[in-house]
Amino acid sequence: MSAAQSHHSSFPAYHYHDFSISLRNLIIYLQHKYCSAQDFDCARAAERLEEAAYLDVDYDAKSGQIIFTSFDQRSPDPDGWNHEIQPRWNSTKTETGIFTQQQTSESEELSFAGYLTVVSEDKKPKQTRFSFPSRHHPASGSSFLVTFPKPVGLHPTLRLTFPTLVSSPAQDCGLYTHLTLPLSFFVDKYQLSSPNYLIANNLQGIRALSGETDLEAPEWVVRKWGSTMLLELVHHTPHGARLESMESRWHVNIPLHLRYLPPREGGATSVNIPWPIVFWACPAEEGVDLNDNPFDRVNLGYEALFDPATTFYHFEPQPREEGGRLMERVQVPVMDLRESGWVESGTVGVIVLGALWVTWEILRVSLSGWEWKKRTSLPKKVQ
């Protein structure tokens, strides 16, 4: 499966990137801005965002609406799910469903069965079953770990470690990783164009690179948020391959570079970089419409780099600590403010000495020319 060379029309024109450890500030803002003092349901709904596994925020330019979609991986209460749902306004239709996932014969499909009811309209829940093709799937039994081998230095290496090997989920699939690099980091696309380097690090090459790619600019000069990169990885497990006879653990090394960062006392600072995502990209079967999925997630930053008829099988990230954040905090070197005085004095001294040397050379050449002109202008004696 090859990455497309152009974006879809669904690819958003703008992206907003912000590093945030917690949604607490957003929750407080929503409660104060949109929930009245007596609207406890609104305040509780905003509070539940704290437990969300992920939160999608979409802005509809036509209607001027901001849509929040949250996903809870587990119940916030130890006794299970217990939510009281009431219509907020007379004109609001609130539909609630309880479903369990069913097995399907098609690997690209999702199937659910359960009960659906419209609050304040239906007297009893209605049995419902529906299925649809899905764009995103978990890659069964596949996981990965992110580390930065020490010493980190100014040219860190992001290492992807795969504990086990799995075969491609289908024919013509490609293995990819998509990185979101904050302002402090950048990649050298020329370094990642060397065939020998790519082979040695289990890489096939850059398939897309956007954002800030200036190789020389320090952090305080760059105006953009950072960059994104889609990399195709080498995989040694074709569809249907037997894995017992193959070495299970393997690595992918991705070279990164640090911009010059503002100086700090101590000569070191911490920078954060989110974990990349790793996935198989496979062509969907002919005639499959992936837009029928009511739970589909789009505009994630990478799916628009592929053909619209592409399915994704995602590797599960495995943080070193249970419940750990998918964010690496890396200690990197910067100029030590306590030593910067010597640097400034030394720089000024070198500049002054250089200026004196250049001045002396100019004067020496000028004096030599004047002496030569003086000697040649003297009258010669005639015998």
Side-chain angles (χ1 to χ4, degrees), residues 80-352:
W81 298 96
N82 185 18
H83 293 312
E84 183 178 346
I85 301 173
Q86 297 180 354
R88 295 181 50 78
W89 298 281
N90 293 333
S91 59
T92 301
K93 179 179 179 180
T94 303
E95 195 172 32
T96 302
I98 301 176
F99 298 97
T100 58
Q101 189 170 349
Q102 308 294 306
Q103 290 186 347
T104 63
S105 57
E106 301 293 336
S107 60
E108 295 177 344
E109 277 196 349
L110 290 178
S111 179
F112 295 93
Y115 295 90
L116 191 67
T117 184
V118 178
V119 179
S120 299
E121 292 185 11
D122 295 334
K123 294 183 179 180
K124 63 178 183 178
K126 295 176 289 188
Q127 287 189 350
T128 307
R129 182 186 179 94
F130 57 93
S131 60
F132 42 81
S134 179
R135 194 184 313 272
H136 299 280
H137 305 266
S140 178
S142 301
S143 62
F144 71 97
L145 174 70
V146 171
T147 55
F148 279 87
K150 299 183 182 300
V152 175
L154 293 174
H155 307 281
T157 297
L158 188 151
R159 174 171 291 174
L160 300 176
T161 300
F162 299 88
T164 59
L165 289 179
V166 293
S167 63
S168 172
Q171 296 287 351
D172 302 324
C173 293
L175 183 59
Y176 296 88
T177 181
H178 186 264
L179 294 87
T180 300
L181 301 175
L183 190 58
S184 305
F185 294 88
F186 68 93
V187 295
D188 185 352
K189 61 182 179 181
Y190 303 104
Q191 181 183 11
L192 288 171
S193 62
S194 169
N196 292 334
Y197 186 90
L198 293 173
I199 293 173
N201 292 280
N202 286 322
L203 301 171
Q204 289 203 41
I206 298 177
R207 297 297 176 253
L209 179 62
S210 63
E212 186 55 64
T213 57
D214 191 322
L215 305 183
E216 302 295 337
E219 186 189 53
W220 56 86
V221 172
V222 179
R223 300 177 61 87
K224 295 182 180 179
W225 53 268
S227 59
T228 61
M229 177 175 63
L230 179 69
L231 267 174
E232 186 170 4
L233 310 181
V234 172
H235 63 92
H236 312 283
T237 53
H239 179 59
R242 296 188 61 182
L243 306 177
E244 292 81 358
S245 60
M246 305 178 68
E247 183 182 355
S248 61
R249 193 179 184 88
W250 60 293
H251 307 280
V252 171
N253 294 318
I254 303 173
L256 303 178
H257 305 275
L258 278 169
R259 300 189 182 279
Y260 292 114
L261 304 176
R264 295 175 62 93
E265 289 190 2
T269 187
S270 295
V271 292
N272 295 285
I273 179 171
W275 280 32
I277 60 171
V278 181
F279 56 87
W280 296 100
C282 308
E285 294 183 2
E286 188 176 353
V288 173
D289 187 359
L290 298 174
N291 296 318
D292 289 341
N293 184 353
F295 307 112
D296 195 14
R297 298 180 72 199
V298 295
N299 297 333
L300 299 177
Y302 59 88
E303 85 282 2
L305 300 173
F306 295 86
D307 186 272
T310 302
T311 55
F312 303 93
Y313 296 83
H314 296 269
F315 286 60
E316 182 181 3
Q318 294 288 347
R320 285 174 289 279
E321 299 178 3
E322 185 176 355
R325 296 185 299 121
L326 301 180
M327 183 79 68
E328 286 297 302
R329 190 173 182 85
V330 186
Q331 195 85 356
V332 298
V334 295
M335 176 184 289
D336 192 344
L337 283 175
R338 295 174 300 185
E339 307 293 336
S340 61
W342 293 99
V343 175
E344 293 174 359
S345 301
T347 303
V348 171
V350 170
I351 292 174
V352 171

Side-chain angles (χ1 to χ4, degrees), residues 48-93:
R48 283 199 296 269
L49 295 178
E50 185 89 50
E51 305 296 331
Y54 65 77
L55 174 67
D56 292 340
V57 182
D58 298 307
Y59 174 69
D60 189 337
K62 293 182 179 180
S63 63
Q65 294 181 336
I66 297 179
I67 303 170
F68 290 83
T69 305
S70 67
F71 174 77
D72 296 324
Q73 194 169 7
R74 59 182 61 89
S75 170
D77 302 320
D79 297 332
W81 298 96
N82 185 18
H83 293 312
E84 183 178 346
I85 301 173
Q86 297 180 354
R88 295 181 50 78
W89 298 281
N90 293 333
S91 59
T92 301
K93 179 179 179 180

